[in-house]
Amino acid sequence: MANILMLGTGSAGTYDLYNTCFIIQNNEGNFLVDTGGSNEIIRRIDYFNIDYNSLNNIFISHSHTDHIFGLFWLLRKMAGLYKRGIITKKLNIYCNDFVYEAIKQILNHVLSKGLLDIINDLVNYNVVKNGDKHIINGIEYTFFDILAKGIKQYGFKTIINNKKIAFLGDEPLNESLYDNFINYDYLFHEVFCLESEENIYHPFELFHSSTRSLSNMLNKLNIKNVIIYHTEEKHGEKRKELYIKETKEYYSGNVYVPDDLEIIKI
Ligand SMILES: [Zn+2]
């Protein structure tokens, strides 16, 4: 059993929503997947009363602003707690080599030498290659290259509570990977906009999906549940209802469109 704590569900250009990132929480700890783009990450973690000593694993899918920049605020905070002995465990960061280079470069430019020394002591970097497996909080995760059309990006697949689950970052599942996810129980998948608003948001030019393009793939692969995130935010409180309705016009499985700070149980 795990809880998915949705810290944010928005896209890169959000104003009211936080950028997409979430925590996989089980009785062994908290695994943070992406960090959003600002210090709002800290408020979101605190909203769920997360003990920082149980937040020992972070995965960064790719180095775009809306996924990586929250990390620097979080490391700054955690370095202070580590220095004061409140955090006693090491922090594992999992990412591909391109993200690792970005983190190191940015850290060197934005934090003081004193903080960098603490962070170097606190953090274990795990640079993942396609197919690498790691056990995180007792759960095995296989990290893989999603073959993104934009920047180098990784996702992961895992089994939680006997459910096959894949997190696919913020691009549509690449067709060459379809065979790997047939009959999956849960896909975490981006959708940028409604089908009826494709002409406004041009999702395909931005390497994103609409409700229709997602549904077609879900049907083809016989996916049982989809968790949709990384959307535009124009529809406010109506977003959930509108996105579920449109996705279900073409797809018969369960559709989750979580709000920011919603919890999904798996
Ligand atoms: Zn993004």
Side-chain angles (χ1 to χ4, degrees):
M1 188 79 177
N3 287 328
I4 312 299
L5 314 179
M6 297 301 304
L7 304 186
T9 61
S11 63
T14 51
Y15 188 78
D16 295 322
L17 297 173
Y18 191 50
N19 316 114
T20 293
C21 56
F22 58 91
I23 286 173
I24 301 175
Q25 181 180 64
N26 66 0
N27 53 15
E28 293 196 29
N30 296 286
F31 174 29
L32 175 60
V33 178
D34 284 332
T35 57
S38 75
N39 62 352
E40 178 68 16
I41 185 72
I42 291 166
R43 192 206 303 261
R44 304 267 160 161
I45 289 169
D46 290 346
Y47 173 88
F48 287 110
N49 291 316
I50 303 291
D51 172 4
Y52 284 90
N53 216 20
S54 69
L55 183 65
N56 311 118
N57 296 282
I58 299 175
F59 170 63
I60 305 286
S61 62
H62 64 297
S63 55
H64 280 163
T65 50
D66 54 319
H67 299 263
I68 198 172
F69 270 95
L71 178 68
F72 305 103
W73 295 99
L74 190 54
L75 287 178
R76 198 175 187 285
K77 161 119 187 166
M78 292 181 79
L81 296 174
Y82 186 63
K83 189 180 172 190
R84 288 170 20 226
I86 296 166
I87 290 177
T88 55
K89 296 178 189 164
K90 295 277 181 177
L91 173 65
N92 292 298
I93 295 180
Y94 303 86
C95 59
N96 67 50
D97 56 347
F98 194 78
V99 174
Y100 172 71
E101 287 304 325
I103 293 171
K104 296 298 271 187
Q105 288 277 346
I106 296 165
L107 276 175
N108 282 329
H109 285 80
V110 300
L111 291 180
S112 67
K113 171 88 170 59
L115 275 171
L116 286 177
D117 288 344
I118 300 168
I119 289 168
N120 282 336
D121 192 32
L122 168 66
V123 176
N124 285 326
Y125 292 98
N126 297 271
V127 179
V128 294
K129 294 199 214 54
N130 193 32
D132 279 1
K133 296 176 193 300
H134 286 275
I135 307 280
I136 298 171
N137 296 331
I139 296 168
E140 184 181 83
Y141 292 85
T142 304
F143 296 98
F144 64 92
D145 191 333
I146 70 161
L147 306 177
K149 295 195 167 66
I151 208 164
K152 187 172 185 176
Q153 182 168 175
Y154 271 42
F156 59 73
K157 53 187 180 176
T158 186
I159 297 175
I160 298 175
N161 199 22
N162 293 319
K163 302 284 195 302
K164 285 190 192 175
I165 297 164
F167 165 69
L168 299 162
D170 77 351
E171 284 203 14
L173 177 58
N174 189 304
E175 279 191 41
S176 67
L177 298 176
Y178 276 15
D179 286 352
N180 298 308
F181 301 103
I182 294 167
N183 297 327
Y184 255 57
D185 294 292
Y186 285 87
L187 285 192
F188 286 67
H189 197 290
E190 62 79 34
V191 169
F192 191 51
C193 70
L194 299 167
E195 175 199 4
S196 51
E197 295 181 336
E198 283 176 6
N199 60 340
I200 300 172
Y201 292 105
H202 308 287
F204 312 122
E205 289 169 25
L206 300 168
F207 309 133
H208 290 319
S209 310
S210 71
T211 45
R212 180 182 54 172
S213 67
L214 173 74
S215 304
N216 291 339
M217 179 273 286
L218 298 172
N219 275 334
K220 225 180 249 177
L221 304 190
N222 192 32
I223 304 298
K224 297 184 184 67
N225 302 274
V226 65
I227 297 169
I228 290 173
Y229 52 71
H230 208 276
T231 72
E232 52 77 32
E233 60 182 3
K234 191 188 78 178
H235 296 289
E237 287 178 3
K238 287 219 173 291
R239 179 182 67 148
K240 184 191 287 270
E241 178 192 332
L242 289 170
Y243 276 73
I244 290 175
K245 185 165 172 280
E246 268 207 4
T247 308
K248 278 187 158 294
E249 279 176 26
Y250 305 97
Y251 166 64
S252 55
N254 294 317
V255 181
Y256 296 83
V257 183
D259 292 320
D260 279 21
L261 303 175
E262 193 169 327
I263 299 174
I264 298 169
K265 290 183 185 302
I266 288 179

